[in-house]
Amino acid sequence: DAGVIQSPRHEVTEMGQEVTLRCKPISGHDYLFWYRQTMMRGLELLIYFNNNVPIDDSGMPEDRFSAKMPNASFSTLKIQPSEPRDSAVYFCATQRQYGTQYFGPGTRLLVL
Amino acid sequence: QKEVEQDPGPLSVPEGAIVSLNCTYSNSAFQYFMWYRQYSRKGPELLMYTYSSGNKEDGRFTAQVDKSSKYISLFIRDSQPSDSATYLCAMSNSNSGYALNFGKGTSLLVTP
C-alpha cells in the first residue's frame, strides 16, 4: 500500500492567492482528517470526514478555509485568499473504524 | 489553555539512557491515549496506544496512563540515536469520534 498520498509536498505562494491541497486516502479507510501543524500551536485538527461526509469542522479557522471529499479516493483543502499566517505544514490522515490513524507526509505551505 | 500540555524540550540524552516523556491533560472525558513519533519533515506515526488507565509495554517502550492525575508517560529504555525524533501525545474520547487532541510534542535527541 502506498500510504496516504498528499500533493503538493511544498507550496510557495503569495498572499491573496488560492491554495489547494490534495489528499488520497489509503484504500478502505472511511475516515479522513485534515490537520495543521505550526511551532506555536502544534498539531491541530481542522476537519474530518466519515464516508465522505464532513463530521466536525469546528477547527476550520475561518471562512477562507474549505474542505471537500467528493469521493472515497480524494479530498481537498482550499484556502482562498491565503494569508502569511496560514503558513504551516498541513497533514492528511486516514483510518478505518476502530483502526490506527495513518498520516501522510504533509504539505509545507509558505505564504509570502 | 490547550487541553493537552507537553513540555517541548529539547531533551538531550546519551545513548543507552532511559527517557521519560510526559503529558498532562484537563479533559477528564479522555479515554484513549496515544504516543506518536515524528521524524524531521515526516508525518507522525503511531507508536503506542492505551485505553483508559494502566501500563502497556512494547519492546523498549512503555506507556503509562494515570487518569486520576490526568497524566500520561512514555518511557524509552536503552535509548538509541534512531529514537531521535519529536514525540507527540494524543488523546480522544468516545464523544469526539476519532478526532485527536495533540500535545505540541517533545523533541528528543539521543547522542552516540
Side-chain angles (χ1 to χ4, degrees):
Chain A
D1 199 325
V4 178
I5 299 173
Q6 290 188 248
S7 65
R9 295 292 309 275
H10 300 87
E11 177 84 19
V12 180
T13 190
E14 292 188 345
M15 182 174 63
Q17 295 298 307
E18 178 179 294
V19 174
T20 300
L21 311 181
R22 298 173 176 80
C23 176
K24 178 178 170 55
I26 295 172
S27 178
H29 284 198
D30 46 14
Y31 286 85
L32 184 142
F33 305 82
W34 282 101
Y35 291 91
R36 178 171 67 176
Q37 187 174 39
T38 62
M39 289 291 290
M40 287 294 295
R41 300 179 65 86
L43 197 59
E44 299 176 296
L45 178 68
L46 300 177
I47 185 172
Y48 81 93
F49 296 83
N50 177 216
N51 291 322
N52 314 336
V53 176
I55 302 300
D56 184 355
D57 65 354
S58 59
M60 296 286 263
E62 47 197 280
D63 292 345
R64 298 184 297 107
F65 286 70
S66 63
K68 294 182 180 180
M69 192 164 185
N71 58 61
S73 302
F74 185 64
S75 177
T76 60
L77 178 68
K78 188 174 292 187
I79 308 172
Q80 167 62 22
S82 58
E83 296 183 3
R85 60 195 169 114
D86 301 331
S87 298
V89 183
Y90 290 81
F91 288 102
C92 176
T94 72
Q95 71 172 85
R96 300 177 192 276
Q97 191 174 15
Y98 308 124
T100 297
Q101 209 164 114
Y102 292 91
F103 282 74
T107 295
R108 292 182 170 273
L109 173 64
L110 177 62
V111 183
L112 302 174
Chain B
Q1 185 182 2
K2 284 178 67 74
E3 285 188 298
V4 181
E5 296 288 345
Q6 185 175 9
D7 187 335
L11 181 62
S12 182
V13 301
E15 183 175 356
I18 296 175
V19 176
S20 173
L21 304 167
N22 311 293
C23 286
T24 58
Y25 62 95
S26 56
N27 188 345
S28 58
F30 286 144
Q31 300 171 288
Y32 306 95
F33 303 92
M34 287 138 277
W35 286 94
Y36 279 78
R37 178 173 62 195
Q38 185 176 21
Y39 290 113
S40 180
R41 296 184 173 269
K42 301 287 187 182
E45 56 179 347
L46 183 66
L47 196 59
M48 297 285 284
Y49 167 85
T50 310
Y51 171 70
S52 193
S53 283
N55 294 358
K56 185 172 184 178
E57 188 173 321
D58 184 1
R60 298 185 294 111
F61 299 89
T62 299
Q64 287 186 351
V65 175
D66 182 348
K67 291 192 72 179
S68 63
S69 301
K70 297 189 181 69
Y71 187 87
I72 71 170
S73 301
L74 177 71
F75 298 95
I76 307 174
R77 291 182 298 280
D78 186 25
S79 56
Q80 302 296 309
S82 58
D83 295 328
S84 298
T86 296
Y87 290 80
L88 303 107
C89 61
M91 28 198 103
S92 66
N93 63 69
S94 57
N95 294 330
S96 62
Y98 295 109
L100 297 178
N101 291 270
F102 280 88
K104 286 187 178 180
T106 299
S107 176
L108 172 67
L109 177 64
V110 181
T111 55

